[in-house]
Amino acid sequence: MNEKNTISVATMKRLPLYLSYLQSLSPDAPVNISATSIAAALKLNEVQVRKDLALVSSGGRPKIGYKTVELIADLESCIGSEVLHEAVLVGTGNLGKALLNYNDFGRYGVHIAIAFDQNPENIGNCVNGKEILPCEQMPQVCAQRGIRLGIISVPQGAAQAVCDEMVKSGITAIWNFAHVKLIVPPGVVVLDEHIGTSLPWLVGHLS
Amino acid sequence: MNEKNTISVATMKRLPLYLSYLQSLSPDAPVNISATSIAAALKLNEVQVRKDLALVSSGGRPKIGYKTVELIADLESCIGSEVLHEAVLVGTGNLGKALLNYNDFGRYGVHIAIAFDQNPENIGNCVNGKEILPCEQMPQVCAQRGIRLGIISVPQGAAQAVCDEMVKSGITAIWNFAHVKLIVPPGVVVLDEHIGTSLPWLVGHLS
């Protein structure tokens, strides 16, 4: 299996789709499954599915396909993480709360351990068992717990400052929900999740 | 300017980044700006920025660049929508509530008008001024208001059934937050927003 960080974001996003499709198959289904039939079921490009699966599993045989159980195991091993990485989240507005309440990031190897906010009304509250602390405590908390993963769910105007604080706190991987391109030093990676920015594409199809 | 539905989702996602960067420039900045300097400021690939801008604006001049004010206007015209399209949202859990509370989809041409849920505890409540109605009323509401845009924020297992109901209600464009590939008839487009599925890529960089 390839190292995760050599697989593209686009491929990584498709892997959970393959996995949930395979897991949804009846126990009576044939023991083997081909990239062709997965592609057809998910309405994806066959060449793309074939390439994606080859990155994840070496079990594919010409004209036979993959053993379904083996492919499921290989996908789980690639998507999941042996280690559960703790993350901090900054910004506990509606989006932040939604992320704190979501319990399924664990299957992608992430557990949001603690949240930070600068609004005194939110500080001291708990969301889904996760405490909200003042932002000033981030460096200390990250150092104590060895946290290197940060989630930014603050408004656009505040995101770069939060990002800078995260970097100072030893965060090296940032999941950014603010609609702004963050500037980070070498060695820090940012994954942008700009919700809504692809809406114009969808709206364009209404016209 | 190109028709929105001929521009790729990837490009569409970058346009708001260009726009907010240009809007952040000081009024004392030079009147012209090049794709090169935008790419450098946003740490994006120069060739990509050049191609993106060429799709949006015909105002670029070799060695001079774009008039900043004209490029802002062209980006706004491409990103924004002359018409505000009403949308229905199904599923008012945390994510659904976060989406209902977010007031900035208007700049992408979308206004969430009304929400549906099947949980009796949620029905009749209002979130950010938007009423939550029982799912059974969706066909009637969509027909009466001419709504053709639907947002799915229900759990994975319920998403295909909601999608089918939306299609029956005349929805032709679906923004899907459930982690499942939806099967839709020809003429219906789906934009997937699978939050978290790219986390393994980010986590891979921690190792």
Side-chain angles (χ1 to χ4, degrees), chain A residues 92 116-125 132-136:
Chain A
T92 60
F116 297 96
D117 205 298
Q118 58 176 11
N119 183 345
E121 285 182 20
N122 295 336
I123 290 167
N125 293 339
I132 304 175
L133 299 176
C135 289
E136 297 74 42

Side-chain angles (χ1 to χ4, degrees), chain A residues 5 7 12-13 20 41-43 85 94 101 108 110 148 156 179 181 184 196-198 201 203-204 206, chain B residues 5 7 9 12-13 20 42-43 85 94 101 108 110 148 156 179 181 183-184 196-198 201 203-204 206:
Chain A
N5 51 13
I7 300 183
M12 270 293 183
K13 283 189 169 190
S20 53
L42 297 175
K43 296 203 173 178
H85 295 273
N94 283 298
N101 273 302
Y108 304 121
V110 173
R148 293 187 297 133
Q156 185 174 337
H179 287 203
K181 193 80 188 169
V184 292
T197 52
S198 36
W201 175 85
V203 168
L206 290 173
Chain B
N5 51 12
I7 300 182
V9 180
M12 270 292 184
K13 283 190 168 188
S20 53
L42 296 174
K43 296 202 173 180
H85 295 273
N94 283 298
N101 272 304
Y108 304 121
V110 173
R148 293 187 295 133
Q156 186 174 337
H179 287 201
K181 192 80 187 169
I183 312 294
V184 291
T197 51
S198 35
W201 176 86
V203 168
L206 288 174

Side-chain angles (χ1 to χ4, degrees), chain A residues 5 13-15 17 49 62-63 72 77 79 108 121 130 132 140 144 148-149 154-155 176 180-181 184 195 203 206-207:
Chain A
N5 51 13
K13 283 189 169 190
R14 286 188 293 269
L15 301 186
L17 298 176
V49 174
K63 301 197 180 180
I72 287 176
S77 146
I79 295 167
Y108 304 121
E121 285 182 20
K130 291 133 190 176
I132 304 175
Q140 186 193 339
Q144 277 174 352
R148 293 187 297 133
L149 184 61
V154 297
N176 173 36
V180 63
K181 193 80 188 169
V184 292
I195 297 174
V203 168
L206 290 173
S207 315

Side-chain angles (χ1 to χ4, degrees), chain A residues 39-188:
Chain A
L42 297 175
K43 296 203 173 178
L44 292 173
N45 178 285
E46 187 184 328
V47 177
Q48 192 175 60
V49 174
R50 194 176 301 282
K51 282 185 183 169
D52 287 347
L53 295 182
L55 288 170
V56 168
S57 176
S58 55
R61 299 282 170 267
K63 301 197 180 180
I64 294 173
Y66 293 85
K67 285 198 174 129
T68 306
V69 287
E70 284 181 9
L71 187 53
I72 287 176
D74 287 339
L75 281 165
E76 281 177 340
S77 146
C78 189
I79 295 167
S81 180
E82 320 72 51
V83 188
L84 201 58
H85 295 273
E86 287 199 325
V88 294
L89 175 143
V90 179
T92 60
N94 283 298
L95 176 62
K97 284 203 189 83
L99 295 170
L100 289 170
N101 273 302
Y102 191 71
N103 291 322
D104 271 6
F105 294 136
R107 61 172 165 162
Y108 304 121
V110 173
H111 169 70
I112 307 178
I114 215 145
F116 297 96
D117 205 298
Q118 58 176 11
N119 183 345
E121 285 182 20
N122 295 336
I123 290 167
N125 293 339
C126 265
V127 175
N128 195 17
K130 291 133 190 176
E131 205 180 351
I132 304 175
L133 299 176
C135 289
E136 297 74 42
Q137 295 186 24
M138 184 160 60
Q140 186 193 339
V141 170
C142 290
Q144 277 174 352
R145 304 176 73 137
I147 295 178
R148 293 187 297 133
L149 184 61
I151 303 171
I152 296 181
S153 51
V154 297
Q156 185 174 337
Q160 185 62 53
V162 168
C163 169
D164 296 344
E165 277 309 304
M166 285 186 167
V167 171
K168 278 190 210 159
S169 303
I171 298 288
T172 58
I174 295 174
W175 195 18
N176 173 36
F177 285 82
H179 287 203
V180 63
K181 193 80 188 169
L182 297 172
I183 312 294
V184 292
V188 176

Side-chain angles (χ1 to χ4, degrees), chain B residues 28-148:
Chain B
D28 305 332
V31 291
N32 294 313
I33 192 153
S34 65
T36 312
S37 58
I38 296 174
L42 296 174
K43 296 202 173 180
L44 291 173
N45 179 283
E46 186 184 329
V47 176
Q48 192 175 60
V49 174
R50 196 175 301 283
K51 281 185 184 169
D52 288 347
L53 296 182
L55 287 169
V56 167
S57 177
S58 56
R61 299 283 169 267
K63 304 201 178 178
I64 296 174
Y66 291 85
K67 285 201 173 125
T68 307
V69 287
E70 283 181 11
L71 187 54
I72 288 177
D74 287 340
L75 282 164
E76 281 178 339
S77 148
C78 190
I79 294 166
S81 181
E82 318 72 51
V83 189
L84 201 59
H85 295 273
E86 287 200 324
V88 294
L89 175 144
V90 180
T92 61
N94 283 298
L95 176 62
K97 283 204 190 80
L99 295 170
L100 289 171
N101 272 304
Y102 190 70
N103 291 322
D104 271 7
F105 294 136
R107 60 173 168 164
Y108 304 121
V110 173
H111 169 71
I112 307 178
I114 216 145
F116 297 96
D117 205 298
Q118 58 176 9
N119 183 345
E121 284 182 20
N122 295 336
I123 290 167
N125 293 341
C126 266
V127 175
N128 196 17
K130 290 133 189 176
E131 207 180 349
I132 304 175
L133 299 176
C135 289
E136 298 73 41
Q137 295 186 24
M138 185 161 58
Q140 186 193 339
V141 169
C142 290
Q144 277 174 349
R145 302 175 71 139
I147 294 177
R148 293 187 295 133

